Amino acid sequence: MEIKEITLEELDTEKFIAEKLEEISSIVGDGLAINALSGGVDSSVVTMLGHRALGDRFKSYFIDNALMREGEPEYIVSLFKDLGVMVGLVDAEKTFFDALKGITDPEEKREAITRSFYRDIFAKLVKEAGAKYLLQGTNYTDIEETVAGIKRQHNIIEQLGIDPEEMFGYKILEPLIQLRKSSIREVAKAVGLPEEIYNRPPFPGPALATRVIGEITPERVRILRRATKIVEEELSNIGAFQYLAILHNDKVTGIREGKRDYGLQIEVRCWESIDAKIGSPTRLAYDVLDRLAERITTEVSGVVSVTYNITKKPPSTIEAI
Ligand code: XMP
């Protein structure tokens, strides 16, 4: 199927919303649809559209895959509650960690996350709810990058030649597929989402898994979550496109209390970009870098080295896997 982009200049936000509400309600009919809300701008818009188009015939879930940032599941569920949308919180920690056990290859990690999400968690939820449709926030850039083979996106299913109905027992609706992020932010504003959502820096579907090099274990995610919190606290006021911490697999020798300490390495990345297709590292002030190193090595136990990525995308990518 040929998907035609609607550019930001072409977008008539109110007309787009009206058409999508109509489309969702006519396709789903008197059936049920569900979605997975991650709190990113794309899935947040889809949640609002589903809620407005279908009312009680729409159910939204936040799948806590244990790879989220600190406090994220509770924060998003309560934010949507304030908007009048009840979101079910699903604890899927064991499913994801079991699926990721022993895997170090980046593509295999993404594959394990996709499989756990669609087959193990979602197929079950869809069945239990009696839903036939899954609403998903796939956008135009996701399709473009996947088709070009740049990166396997977490949410691309049909574009990879997979029939979700045959494989998982439900159909997928993708109301944002013709839009890029800047347009989706406009739609987000228009459907009443608060600025903290429509202006959120991008965050990947597979969450912190894209930032753990080597095996993803509960302990390693816990370490990265702490470092992530520090990086976000220190860099949120810089105005960068995206900023993140990466946990490396290799250890390095450090020194603590006069003794050699073979410890962990955290890499910090901070990006200037418009649409994540290309990017360059932010020229952070040295005292900011200094504070990051100081805080991460004192507040995250086991870390003896903090580095800052100075590579452009390409050849780097924004995330590490
Ligand atoms: P990369 O690492 O490919 O990232 O330069 C480009 C942008 O996409 C985000 N990203 C993802 N988003 N599912 C998502 O929803 C994914 O699997 C995924 N992988 C990367 C990344 O954070 C950046 O903004």
Side-chain angles (χ1 to χ4, degrees):
M1 182 183 60
E2 185 66 32
I3 297 155
K4 194 182 166 312
E5 180 185 357
I6 302 173
T7 63
L8 184 58
E9 295 69 37
E10 289 164 355
L11 178 71
D12 176 339
T13 313
E14 290 307 325
K15 185 165 157 256
F16 177 86
I17 294 170
E19 278 173 12
K20 291 299 155 187
L21 293 178
E22 170 58 30
E23 200 177 294
I24 294 167
S25 87
S26 74
I27 293 175
V28 177
D30 54 9
L32 259 179
I34 71 176
N35 91 320
L37 170 66
S38 71
V41 60
D42 305 351
S43 69
S44 296
V45 170
V46 166
T47 303
M48 294 308 281
L49 291 176
H51 174 73
R52 277 172 58 174
L54 302 168
D56 288 348
R57 287 176 294 112
F58 173 71
K59 288 194 180 356
S60 186
Y61 296 95
F62 189 104
I63 314 290
D64 184 1
N65 56 14
L67 303 168
M68 299 288 168
R69 286 170 291 189
E70 195 176 301
E72 182 80 359
E74 300 74 18
Y75 165 65
I76 296 299
V77 169
S78 97
L79 188 144
F80 274 83
K81 190 173 173 205
D82 292 345
L83 292 168
V85 186
M86 298 307 287
V87 177
L89 186 54
V90 179
D91 177 1
E93 174 168 349
K94 188 170 169 358
T95 306
F96 281 87
F97 279 132
D98 283 354
L100 288 164
K101 209 174 164 74
I103 301 179
T104 54
D105 178 80
E107 286 304 306
E108 284 177 30
K109 284 184 203 171
R110 282 176 171 268
E111 174 63 31
I113 291 172
T114 305
R115 225 183 319 109
S116 305
F117 185 85
Y118 288 99
R119 191 194 63 194
D120 303 334
I121 302 294
F122 234 85
K124 220 170 93 201
L125 275 179
V126 173
K127 224 188 205 148
E128 278 169 15
K132 290 227 159 38
Y133 294 92
L134 169 62
L135 295 188
Q136 185 163 267
T138 322
N139 67 40
Y140 195 77
T141 313
D142 295 341
I143 303 290
E144 217 173 40
E145 292 209 336
T146 303
V147 173
I150 294 170
K151 190 169 274 185
R152 183 200 164 87
Q153 292 285 336
H154 164 65
N155 56 3
I156 304 289
I157 295 293
E158 281 172 273
Q159 288 71 26
L160 291 173
I162 297 167
D163 177 348
E165 200 168 12
E166 192 178 296
M167 198 143 168
F168 312 118
Y170 50 78
K171 290 195 178 108
I172 295 182
L173 299 184
E174 296 170 311
L176 308 181
I177 205 153
Q178 292 171 280
L179 306 183
R180 289 186 195 271
K181 200 65 114 197
S182 43
S183 302
I184 298 174
R185 292 193 202 279
E186 290 305 312
V187 177
K189 246 186 259 182
V191 292
L193 285 162
E195 185 176 1
E196 56 196 293
I197 294 290
Y198 68 73
N199 262 345
R200 265 195 138 186
F203 189 72
L208 297 180
T210 59
R211 302 171 183 176
V212 175
I213 302 175
E215 190 180 359
I216 300 171
T217 62
E219 173 62 8
R220 302 195 75 217
V221 172
R222 206 171 52 75
I223 292 164
L224 180 62
R225 189 176 283 129
R226 284 220 202 113
T228 300
K229 185 158 191 261
I230 296 168
V231 169
E232 293 192 347
E233 281 170 6
E234 295 296 333
L235 300 182
S236 63
N237 60 354
I238 301 275
F241 175 79
Q242 207 171 345
Y243 29 90
L244 51 124
I246 291 162
L247 175 62
H248 279 255
N249 202 22
D250 288 340
K251 289 187 168 182
V252 286
T253 298
I255 188 152
R256 266 189 208 283
E257 288 155 14
K259 281 207 199 96
R260 285 160 78 81
D261 178 12
Y262 198 50
L264 303 169
Q265 301 187 66
I266 291 285
E267 175 187 332
V268 176
R269 295 185 182 180
C270 182
W271 292 102
E272 299 302 309
S273 179
I274 305 287
D275 56 7
K277 281 170 89 176
I278 57 170
S280 50
T282 306
R283 292 176 178 239
L284 292 177
Y286 210 90
D287 62 338
V288 174
L289 292 169
D290 222 17
R291 203 162 46 244
L292 281 168
E294 181 64 27
R295 283 197 62 192
I296 294 171
T297 50
T298 51
E299 295 175 36
V300 188
S301 76
V303 177
V304 298
S305 167
V306 176
T307 56
Y308 184 56
N309 178 46
I310 52 169
T311 321
K312 290 190 168 113
K313 173 184 178 176
S316 178
T317 49
I318 304 258
E319 306 287 342
I321 74 157

